[in-house]
Amino acid sequence: MSEHNEETPRPEDSGPNAEDVARRIGANSGIERRGDGQIDVLKTIGGVRGLIESLLPGLVFLVIFTIWQQLNPALIAAVAVAIIFTVARLVRRGTLTQALTGLVGVAICAIFSRVTGEAKDYYVPGFYTNLAYGAVLAISVMVRWPLMGVIFGFIRSENTSWRESKTRTNAYAWATWIVVAVFAARLAVQVPLYFADNVPALGAARLAMGVPLYAAGLWVAWMISRPQPSAKTPDTA
């Protein structure tokens, strides 16, 4: 009779559990909070500087193309603005990832447009991004792990305890659908403009429905998912 020397796995040897994964997602979501635990929407989008960095390359592209109807100058100008912002971040000793994120996004848009020779294709990568984010968020609700619950639960120090309450789970599901609606609204407005070859309107819609709309959706999602006073603990907000 053979003897088995297998050891029973210790808890610390097992892989990360759902709460560990949720905590990591919340910590790396990029959503900032104030000292009182409330969400800081302006800081989340990078402050005024982050807002300018996200809007200016697209604005420069749109203005130059609309005035001169020349694709290459518009693309060069947009990429140049993104490079300036990237260099400025590096000079101020920002992280390399943070510095390159905006530049890579603008470069991808420029490549799409340059390959096809169509100004409207500058906005195509955004369609895929919105579709992907919206799908991930929608799926998270369907599997009863609404992503805004994972993120906001971390910020509110609820961790994953909110899943034990149907009311809290539903609140976070609604919060997640709010953000899904932001991505869906962008596609609903911008895709028809793309097929209509209306570049000025498409560019204007992209600017208006970009960071400003996302920030508004995030704030609404936060507000509708607030714990009720009777369920509030000293660490939640």
Side-chain angles (χ1 to χ4, degrees), residues 4-200:
H4 296 281
N5 295 321
E6 296 180 359
E7 296 183 0
T8 302
R10 293 175 298 175
E12 58 268 27
D13 293 333
S14 60
N17 56 34
E19 186 164 343
D20 291 333
V21 173
R23 188 179 296 110
R24 291 175 189 176
I25 293 174
N28 293 286
S29 65
I31 295 179
E32 300 284 348
R33 52 181 173 176
R34 302 196 302 258
D36 60 1
Q38 292 281 8
I39 188 173
D40 191 330
V41 175
L42 183 60
K43 192 174 180 180
T44 294
I45 63 175
V48 175
R49 178 179 175 178
L51 182 62
I52 293 173
E53 289 180 355
S54 67
L55 295 178
L56 195 56
L59 178 61
V60 168
F61 171 82
L62 178 62
V63 170
I64 291 179
F65 180 78
T66 301
I67 293 176
W68 286 288
Q69 295 294 305
Q70 294 291 322
L71 179 60
N72 286 340
L75 292 176
I76 292 171
V79 173
V81 170
I83 290 175
I84 292 171
F85 285 141
T86 300
V87 172
R89 279 193 175 274
L90 291 175
V91 169
R92 294 171 64 91
R93 298 184 179 181
T95 63
L96 184 61
T97 300
Q98 186 181 43
L100 291 178
T101 299
L103 176 59
V104 170
V106 174
I108 290 174
C109 292
I111 290 171
F112 264 72
S113 184
R114 187 65 189 86
V115 167
T116 64
E118 295 284 347
K120 67 179 184 178
D121 288 330
Y122 180 87
Y123 303 101
V124 167
F127 298 156
Y128 292 114
T129 300
N130 284 295
L131 184 61
Y133 280 134
V136 169
L137 286 163
I139 291 171
S140 75
V141 176
M142 295 174 187
V143 299
R144 297 197 63 76
W145 275 95
L147 199 52
M148 299 320 297
V150 173
I151 296 171
F152 289 165
F154 171 79
I155 295 176
R156 290 175 168 135
S157 298
E158 291 177 291
N159 296 321
T160 59
S161 64
W162 53 269
R163 297 192 75 243
E164 300 171 6
S165 166
K166 183 177 180 180
T167 299
R168 297 297 297 135
T169 300
N170 288 339
Y172 281 132
W174 279 110
T176 304
W177 283 124
I178 290 294
V179 183
V180 171
V182 169
F183 297 120
R186 289 173 177 173
L187 293 171
V189 171
Q190 295 169 25
V191 171
L193 293 174
Y194 172 84
F195 285 110
D197 295 321
N198 193 336
V199 176

